[in-house]
């Protein structure tokens, strides 16, 4: 809990203390008007203040102390909740439960971050039991149509005004998209192995200039957890690559190179969201690919406890109207889009969450992964990271102009 497992990640106890400090700041102080419980800890847990790599040196609370701090904050927060006016007539933080939803989501986002840390930790640290996954849907007679055609037309991108969403998902606005095709399923380990065997990491023509420089500089020859003898590390296990699983822990640069090798490209985030949620039969947008109900066990592999992705093409009940599978859960999907504000963006409730990362070279990821908790997920949710990062539970699918 106290160890720095990877230079990219915080010690796990830091995440725990940060979850509680963020809760004290937003629920107890901002929403409830209380004084800070531990003013001395404010700097230690300010994510913007100290980069992850330096957090190992901070005087953060160790395990027993952090548990006591978390309990004390939660008790105060529940006291504030008892008195809070969550009706839509309430103030902007409390009205509709906004800040309460934000805090639940924030904690759950850090739960996924902590699993990234555990996946990077040396062997011997964490050995979760993987839950059996459903098999991929059997190919339809006559062969499965591997790509979905998404017709041209306007699409309302982003989250509507009701309910909780981060500022960066708003305002919802119409985008006019040309027709495109998108893979029905994510790129698999088998697909990606062919790319590697085809000289994917040696062919300059398949890479962007920045991607090639990154690959050469880092000496990268395969996805993060793959070994040179054709196996894949998965927490404690070192097993032969499972060909049917989505490829994971690749950088945006690798995803981009793979797509180019196929004469294709990554989808933009608008294309991704339209392929996931637009219903052409009604001309309207669904809350989820399968409809308006929240994610159930039959729809998607979310919520961490599977400890790995399901085979690409599983969860037929989670299919989108255009026929895309696995848009939610299993693996985040890199998109072609750079993280930026939507037209009319207004920061709320704080600038640092989103605005500080706009137009700064971050790429957008969509769809959540097996390690994403359902409360932290909406199809409009925009995750982001630098194009060289591989710790995210991320894969991708390809698209092309129709
Ligand atoms: C959305 C993953 C880029 O970790 O920097 C957590 C999420 N923001 N606490 C991050 C976040 C504040 C954020 N990412
Ligand atoms: Fe945070």
């Amino acid at each position: 809990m106290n160890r720095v497992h990877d230079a990219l990640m915080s010690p796990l106890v830091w995440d725990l203390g940060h979850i509680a400090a963020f809760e004290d700041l937003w629920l107890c102080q901002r929403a409830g008007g209380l004084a800070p419980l531990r003013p001395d800890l404010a700097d230690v847990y300010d994510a913007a203040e100290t980069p992850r790599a330096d957090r190992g040196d901070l005087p953060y609370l160790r395990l027993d102390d952090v548990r006591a701090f978390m309990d004390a904050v939660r008790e105060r927060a529940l006291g504030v909740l008892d008195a809070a006016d969550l009706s839509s007539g309430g103030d902007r933080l409390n009205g509709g439960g906004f800040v309460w939803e934000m805090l639940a989501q924030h904690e759950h986002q850090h739960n996924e971050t902590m699993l990234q840390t555990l996946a990077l930790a040396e062997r011997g640290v964490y050995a979760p039991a993987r839950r059996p996954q459903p098999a991929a849907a059997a190919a339809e007679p006559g062969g499965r149509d591997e790509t979905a055609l998404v017709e041209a037309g306007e699409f309302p991108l982003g989250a509507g005004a009701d309910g909780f969403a981060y500022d960066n998902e708003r305002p919802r606005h119409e985008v006019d998209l040309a027709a495109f095709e998108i893979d029905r399923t994510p790129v698999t380990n088998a697909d990606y192995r062919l790319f590697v065997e085809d000289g994917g990491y040696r062919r300059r023509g398949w890479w962007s200039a920045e991607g090639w420089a990154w690959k050469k500089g880092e000496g990268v020859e395969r996805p993060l957890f793959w070994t040179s003898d054709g196996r894949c590390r998965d927490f404690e296990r070192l097993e032969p690559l499972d060909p049917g699983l989505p490829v994971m822990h690749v950088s945006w640069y690798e995803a981009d190179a793979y797509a180019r090798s196929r004469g294709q490209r990554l989808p933009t985030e608008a294309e991704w969201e339209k392929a996931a949620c637009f219903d052409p039969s009604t001309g309207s947008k669904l809350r989820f690919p399968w409809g308006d109900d929240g994610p159930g066990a039959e729809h998607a592999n979310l919520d961490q406890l599977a400890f790995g992705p399901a085979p690409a093409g599983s969860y037929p009940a989670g299919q989108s109207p255009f026929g895309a599978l696995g848009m939610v859960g299993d693996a985040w999907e890199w998109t072609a889009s750079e993280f930026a504000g939507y037209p009319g963006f207004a920061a709320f409730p704080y600038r640092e969450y989103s605005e500080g990362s706009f137009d700064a070279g971050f790429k957008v990821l969509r769809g959540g992964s097996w390690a994403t908790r359902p409360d932290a997920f909406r199809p409009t949710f925009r995750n982001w990271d630098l194009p060289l990062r591989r710790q995210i539970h991320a894969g991708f699918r390809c698209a092309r102009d129709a």
Side-chain angles (χ1 to χ4, degrees):
M1 294 298 288
N2 295 331
R3 201 184 295 172
V4 176
H5 295 285
D6 187 279
L8 216 53
M9 309 302 287
S10 318
L12 296 168
V13 275
W14 185 92
D15 287 278
L16 294 181
H18 167 79
I19 287 167
F22 197 76
E23 180 168 327
D24 195 59
L25 175 66
W26 285 100
L27 301 186
C28 303
Q29 300 171 44
R30 298 279 204 275
L34 303 180
L37 183 62
R38 289 286 302 270
D40 57 310
L41 295 176
D43 288 350
V44 172
Y45 291 124
D46 184 335
E49 206 74 17
T50 320
R52 284 181 182 178
D54 302 329
R55 287 177 197 163
D57 302 328
L58 292 173
Y60 50 81
L61 300 176
R62 299 315 201 256
L63 193 54
D64 287 348
D65 292 338
V66 91
R67 288 212 165 109
F69 178 52
M70 295 177 91
D71 287 345
V73 169
R74 181 57 51 90
E75 199 179 318
R76 266 156 61 94
L78 292 177
V80 172
L81 178 58
D82 278 340
D85 176 8
L86 305 188
S87 70
S88 49
D91 63 54
R92 248 191 114 189
L93 283 181
N94 285 297
F98 180 91
V99 78
W100 302 87
E101 295 275 2
M102 184 178 91
L103 262 288
Q105 164 132 21
H106 178 259
E107 175 166 339
H108 289 183
Q109 281 173 246
H110 276 272
N111 293 160
E112 179 160 2
T113 308
M114 293 170 79
L115 271 172
Q116 293 169 7
T117 306
L118 288 164
L120 290 164
E122 62 184 288
R123 295 177 75 191
V125 169
Y126 191 54
R130 193 163 44 190
R131 188 172 64 197
Q133 289 290 332
E140 287 150 22
R144 198 163 79 206
D145 186 2
E146 296 299 337
T147 66
L149 173 65
V150 179
E151 62 202 28
E154 295 221 320
F155 168 71
L157 180 64
D162 294 333
F164 176 77
Y166 279 116
D167 54 5
N168 66 55
E169 298 165 57
R170 293 181 162 141
R172 179 174 281 183
H173 59 288
E174 294 290 325
V175 290
D176 197 8
L177 297 177
F180 64 97
E181 289 177 27
I182 188 165
D183 293 346
R184 291 188 60 208
T185 52
V187 170
T188 63
N189 283 333
D191 299 330
Y192 199 86
R193 186 162 54 196
L194 283 178
F195 166 75
V196 176
E197 289 168 358
D198 232 13
Y201 286 80
R202 295 192 303 275
R203 298 203 197 195
R204 173 65 188 87
W206 286 346
W207 293 74
S208 64
E210 312 86 76
W212 187 253
W214 166 80
K215 180 203 77 73
K216 267 178 60 183
E218 300 293 317
V220 169
E221 295 177 358
R222 61 189 76 89
L224 180 59
F225 292 116
W226 288 23
T227 63
S228 58
D229 63 357
R231 292 183 292 171
C232 183
R233 192 196 140 189
D234 172 28
F235 294 100
E236 293 303 280
R237 285 178 298 270
L238 198 52
E239 291 173 339
L241 266 185
D242 185 333
L245 300 183
V247 66
M248 290 183 76
H249 298 285
V250 288
S251 66
W252 185 91
Y253 292 133
E254 290 165 293
D256 175 63
Y258 177 96
R260 289 170 192 238
S261 79
R262 292 288 189 82
Q264 300 175 17
R265 58 177 174 78
L266 297 176
T268 65
E269 61 173 322
E271 288 173 338
W272 188 96
E273 195 174 306
K274 185 173 180 181
C277 293
F278 192 67
D279 185 350
S281 69
T282 59
S284 62
K285 186 177 178 178
L286 303 170
R287 281 186 61 224
F288 293 96
W290 52 85
D292 288 334
D293 294 340
E298 71 281 23
H299 294 130
N301 173 19
L302 291 163
D303 217 12
Q304 307 201 312
L305 297 179
F307 289 102
S314 306
Y315 294 96
Q319 180 166 306
S320 81
F322 282 116
L325 290 157
M327 297 297 270
V328 174
D330 294 315
W332 288 97
E333 298 182 15
W334 287 109
T335 72
S337 300
E338 171 143 354
F339 189 53
Y342 288 159
F345 168 82
F348 181 75
Y350 70 116
R351 285 188 181 280
E352 290 75 17
Y353 180 80
S354 310
E355 203 174 357
S357 301
F358 285 164
D359 305 303
F362 291 98
K363 300 294 185 185
V364 175
L365 301 113
R366 292 298 201 99
S369 78
W370 64 263
T372 306
R373 299 187 64 184
D375 279 348
F377 183 73
R378 296 166 294 287
T380 58
F381 180 83
R382 307 169 76 199
N383 197 0
W384 69 91
D385 211 334
L386 296 172
L388 51 76
R389 294 292 187 230
R390 307 205 288 173
Q391 86 287 359
I392 300 192
H393 303 100
F396 64 98
R397 72 181 74 209
C398 299
R400 63 217 68 98
D401 301 346

